[in-house]
Amino acid sequence: MSVAQVRVIAWFSSALVLAAGCTLEAPTLAAPTQVRAAPVTALAQGMSVPGPASVLISFTKSADDERGIDLVKSYVPLRRRAGVDTVFAPFLFARADDDAAHPRTASFYDLNAIAGERYEYVVWAVAERDFRTVSASGAQAAVSAASNVVVASAPRDASIDGTHEASVVPARLSATPPENDGGRALAVSATLPARASGVAGYALMVEGGPRSSPRHPAFGDADRALLQPEEGASTLEQVVSAAPGDGYRFVLYTIPVRGDAVASAPSATVGTAASLLDPNKLNVGVVLALMLALTFAFLRRAQRGGKDIFIRRIPGVDAIEEAIGRATEMGRPVLYVPGIDEIQNVQTIASILVLGRVSELVARYDTEIKVPCCIPLVATVGEEVVRQGFYDAGRPDAHRPTNVQWISSEQFAFCAATNGIMLRDKPATNIFLGCFFGESLILAETGYVNRAIQIAGTAEITQLPFFIAACDYTLLGEELFAVSAYMSRDAKLLSNLKAADWVKALCIAILVVGTALALLAPQSAVTKALVEHVLTTGE
Amino acid sequence: MRTTFPLLITFVAGALLILEFFIPHAGLKDVVGLMRDWGAVVTAAAFVLGAVNVLQVNIPKIARREADWGYKAVLVGSAIFTAIAGFYYGKVEPTGVYGWLFDTFYAPQNATMFALLAFFVASAAFRAFRARNLEATLMLTAAIIVMIGVTPVGEKIPFLDFTAVKDWILEYANNGGRRAILIGAALGAVATGLRVVLGLERSHLGSD
């Protein structure tokens, strides 16, 4: 089977997997089942039961539990007094230890029921992802059927007062769309009453929305089923994920240490609101627009026959052709390492662009190039680029696809193999351009042992000293991104380089002005405006 | 068409990703999220090609008994064995055969290569820290001060507070240079990204 056939099969398989992933999502979340409640006095002696517990609620997990990643985020129980309350409300609960013999069941302890009261329970399964679309857009929840009615027993800990907590006052609630939001969240703010003793925490419930959901827990995160603000806090603020649309209402329950929760008045009906522009990032947009405008301005000037765009000499880039010539004279190959990071890293992209030009030079000089790669996709792209370079040089027959090989995605395995290539094949020229980490010095030192000419370039600050110490030429940061334009001398690329230089000059000017302002007038309105609106993006 | 179509895809994808930074609307984030999912799938598919590449490169060398063909046989054999162990045992019993291979072979060898770094640092430092000119002398002096300052003995030397000098060198002199390179690299990265997105850079597509 040829490589081309394998590629077709691989892409087709990927497309099938992607299509399957898009279509095989469950339409609705499966609810927990078989909710059963029993007083703790019925439990066997010797079981580890929390002192305040009165009732044990057990249930069978949702059929969608553990299907996919984070499908069911958590389970939240609610209760009501049988024959008294119509609406299920939150209560103080604790998750019981899972029974390894029954992995499909889970249990909760009711920690604030009143002894002698009759309760029934439901369990909500809250999911992280929306089942209607591929991407996340808010929580989705499903509720079980009600359990049997149970009479709560007295707490196991006889010292606990089992009577109802009095004077628990509800909070005041408001909900609004957050600023600069994508339309998938609502900000809920509650003004808390002066903290009376006996309040265990708060639980936020939501109802309505575009699917007219019944009242259910607002959070899919079990840690936020019971909200406990800081001591003395007078407000409680939370951001809740929501599906796009209108009609959400929130209710905040104040949960006492013992007894029934007290609900606040529902918030006003609110809907999500998606922003079309984040004004905090306009400063970045201005810089981007400036770079674009300068690029096209310099390009127009060059195309109109103006003077050539000047860029300073970069000795490392000038040395590339000389180094390739040296390799040709010695009859040894050129080694090109495009870094160890993924193809989406801009350093790898810059390196691949340079690889095309280097491989064209190598083909013209009729020598060999070896390209060991750490990432399979980089190897695939690199092989195409090298092939294209040989074609452009008019030497398609000289290209050997096996010279561009994927070694290993593990950092030091790749480093060891590349060292092996250097020690066996003894390349006369080593070119290290791209993103490197700890293996940079090992590669450079091994190349030094071989007495190869080494040209390195990376934007990783921590690796530059190693390359400077061990290599003949080192391209620092931005010089790596200039190599392609420098080698081609194409007006389009040079104009873009020039535009980046002008933006750099602007940055230097802002730095000088900002430093002067920070020293001379640190509290002035101008300094504050510079810091808030120019130097930060609000994230 | 051979160059136009890839350039069009690059421009559309790049423009969407740039816009996503400025536009918080969830609809756009959904589209970009989908593109990222596609990218992840393509990356995973590339591993199949990588595996084919490993076999393509090494099996002919084994068959022709080229130099060091034995090592290539070990490479191919261990890769196949590890892949089978991972496919079968990885999900069923992660701490079994697959875990044993990782703990017994991979982890010690990885640590060995990382440990070699210490010796390479020593040899590189021995070569690099020579007082050949003013800049090299300054670098040598700074390196000595920082090396003494980070060790416990630096605090015990009475006549000079090496720790304070080390801190000053790292926080002011070193940080200034670092940030300058970072700013330049960041602007260079933006310029490179714009070049590729706008189609100004076409070397990866070949000449027309």
Side-chain angles (χ1 to χ4, degrees), chain A residues 18 54 64 116 122 137 217 385 502 518:
Chain A
L18 183 60
S54 307
D64 289 323
V122 293
S137 62
V385 167
W502 276 86

Side-chain angles (χ1 to χ4, degrees), chain A residues 426-494:
Chain A
K426 299 193 188 317
T429 297
N430 295 338
I431 302 176
F432 306 118
L433 295 179
C435 182
F436 292 88
F437 298 103
E439 75 292 342
S440 61
L441 184 61
I442 299 177
L443 293 174
E445 278 293 296
T446 307
Y448 179 83
V449 166
N450 268 348
R451 297 286 184 259
I453 281 190
Q454 302 198 102
I455 302 164
T458 182
E460 291 298 318
I461 307 291
T462 50
Q463 307 310 315
L464 282 172
F466 300 133
F467 279 143
I468 290 171
C471 296
D472 299 287
Y473 300 93
T474 305
L475 306 173
L476 306 177
E478 58 188 335
E479 293 175 339
L480 167 66
F481 303 111
V483 176
S484 179
Y486 188 97
M487 288 179 78
S488 70
R489 297 286 170 172
D490 183 0
K492 290 198 289 283
L493 304 182
L494 289 178

Side-chain angles (χ1 to χ4, degrees), chain A residues 285-363:
Chain A
V286 166
V287 172
L288 206 59
L290 182 64
M291 195 179 284
L292 273 172
L294 285 171
T295 299
F296 289 118
F298 284 119
L299 181 59
R300 260 184 108 166
R301 195 167 81 171
Q303 286 173 339
R304 281 183 182 165
K307 55 183 179 179
D308 289 339
I309 297 174
F310 167 79
I311 55 173
R312 66 168 173 87
R313 269 195 72 236
I314 304 177
V317 186
D318 290 337
I320 289 178
E321 186 163 358
E322 176 192 320
I324 294 172
R326 177 177 183 263
T328 309
E329 286 168 9
M330 297 174 74
R332 283 153 52 174
V334 173
L335 180 78
Y336 189 105
V337 183
I340 69 163
D341 210 348
E342 300 275 353
I343 190 72
Q344 55 262 33
N345 187 313
V346 69
Q347 295 180 68
T348 307
I349 293 173
S351 180
I352 293 294
L353 295 174
V354 177
L355 175 60
R357 304 198 188 279
V358 167
S359 58
E360 188 180 343
L361 273 176
V362 165

Side-chain angles (χ1 to χ4, degrees), chain A residues 3 6-7 10-11 14-15 17-18 22 133-137 180-184 274-278 281-282 284-285 287-288 291-292 295-296 299 342 344 346 349-350 352-354 356-357 370 375-377 380 384-385 388 392 401-402 404-407 409-413 415-416 419 424 438-439 441-442 445-446 448 459 461 464 466 469-470 476-478 481-482 484-485 490 492-493 495-497 500 503-504 507 511 537 539, chain B residues 2 18-31 33-34 37-58 60-61 64 67-68 71-72 75 102 106 109-125 127-129 132 139 174 177-196 198-208:
Chain A
V3 173
V6 172
R7 282 179 187 168
W11 301 138
S14 310
V17 167
L18 183 60
C22 293
T133 64
V134 175
S135 61
S137 62
N180 302 323
D181 184 64
R184 296 269 168 82
S275 299
L276 288 179
L277 183 66
D278 187 348
K281 295 178 182 170
L282 274 178
V284 177
V287 172
L288 206 59
M291 195 179 284
L292 273 172
T295 299
F296 289 118
L299 181 59
E342 300 275 353
Q344 55 262 33
V346 69
I349 293 173
I352 293 294
L353 295 174
V354 177
R357 304 198 188 279
K370 289 184 181 283
I375 306 294
L377 198 51
T380 308
E384 288 293 328
V385 167
Q388 193 59 53
D392 291 343
T402 53
V404 183
Q405 52 176 316
W406 171 54
I407 305 287
S409 291
E410 296 298 326
Q411 180 186 18
F412 286 107
C415 175
N419 277 3
R424 284 190 302 271
E439 75 292 342
L441 184 61
I442 299 177
E445 278 293 296
T446 307
Y448 179 83
I461 307 291
L464 282 172
F466 300 133
L476 306 177
E478 58 188 335
F481 303 111
S484 179
D490 183 0
K492 290 198 289 283
L493 304 182
S495 61
N496 177 262
L497 199 61
V503 172
K504 203 183 318 169
C507 290
L511 276 171
T537 59
E539 283 187 345
Chain B
R2 197 174 70 88
I18 291 172
L19 286 174
E20 191 239 354
F21 178 77
F22 297 101
I23 299 175
H25 197 288
L28 181 59
K29 291 198 185 303
D30 283 348
V31 171
L34 194 63
D37 290 343
W38 291 346
V41 172
V42 167
T43 303
F47 274 94
V48 175
L49 297 179
V52 168
N53 181 272
V54 167
L55 298 175
Q56 258 191 322
V57 168
N58 292 289
K61 291 182 181 176
R64 289 195 294 263
D68 298 323
Y71 297 121
K72 291 169 179 27
L75 166 69
F102 182 90
Y106 172 74
Q109 290 174 40
N110 200 53
T112 302
M113 285 302 299
F114 196 60
L116 285 177
L117 208 51
F119 301 100
F120 283 118
V121 167
S123 70
R127 257 195 351 269
F129 291 151
R132 283 181 291 258
M139 190 175 76
N174 180 57
R178 245 173 31 96
R179 287 169 184 168
I181 296 177
L182 267 174
I183 291 172
L187 287 172
V190 170
T192 300
L194 278 178
R195 278 207 302 269
V196 174
L198 293 175
L200 299 176
E201 177 79 67
R202 301 182 184 196
S203 61
H204 55 293
L205 298 174
S207 55
D208 294 329

